[in-house]
């Protein structure tokens, strides 16, 4: 399965594999669409029992910029994202950027739930 690597140049995030490059959008717009520089994942009591989860308050703070510039993505996800255009929506953000942010948040929220 192909994994697309993030590539951030001049403040714009793209996902790349071989000769394929899909522009996602400005890193600042992604951060805005996610809701800020950090994203907090809170875990319930059962989830806190996982041996890999070591938090004092049952939550993890994710640095959004760091995560989106290091996390790889599947060919299927990138193919789906490529279907969205870069025209701005009613909030002034590109549609593909907002869709990426929504999927990124979904990925973060799934962490630890299936363990």
């Amino acid at each position: 399965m192909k994994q697309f690597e993030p590539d951030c140049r001049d403040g714009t995030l793209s996902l790349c594999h071989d000769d394929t490059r899909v522009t996602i959008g400005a890193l600042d717009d992604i951060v805005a669409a996610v809701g800020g520089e950090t994203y907090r994942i809170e875990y319930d009591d059962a989830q806190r029992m996982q041996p890999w989860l070591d938090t004092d308050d049952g939550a993890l703070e994710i640095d959004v910029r760091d995560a989106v510039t290091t996390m790889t993505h599947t060919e299927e996800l990138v193919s789906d994202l490529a279907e969205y255009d870069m025209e701005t929506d009613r909030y002034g953000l590109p549609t593909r950027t907002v869709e990426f942010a929504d999927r990124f948040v979904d990925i973060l929220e799934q962490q630890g739930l299936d363990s």
Side-chain angles (χ1 to χ4, degrees), residues 36-100:
E37 296 287 334
T38 59
Y39 188 83
R40 184 177 173 91
I41 304 171
E42 296 191 19
Y43 296 90
D44 64 24
D45 290 337
Q47 294 164 337
R48 291 178 193 179
M49 300 303 291
Q50 299 300 320
W52 59 265
L53 184 62
D54 185 20
T55 67
D56 293 330
D57 63 354
L60 291 177
E61 294 282 334
I62 306 297
D63 180 306
V64 173
R65 287 179 192 274
D66 181 56
V68 299
T69 58
T70 58
M71 184 184 295
T72 61
H73 297 281
T74 65
E75 179 179 20
E76 180 181 1
L77 175 85
V78 175
S79 178
D80 288 348
L81 290 171
E83 296 294 319
Y84 293 89
D85 61 36
M86 292 300 288
E87 296 294 320
T88 57
D89 67 7
R90 65 180 182 220
Y91 301 109
L93 297 174
T95 304
R96 184 181 302 152
T97 303
V98 173
E99 184 63 24
F100 172 81

Side-chain angles (χ1 to χ4, degrees), residues 1 16 34 50:
M1 177 186 298
C16 308
V34 169
Q50 299 300 320

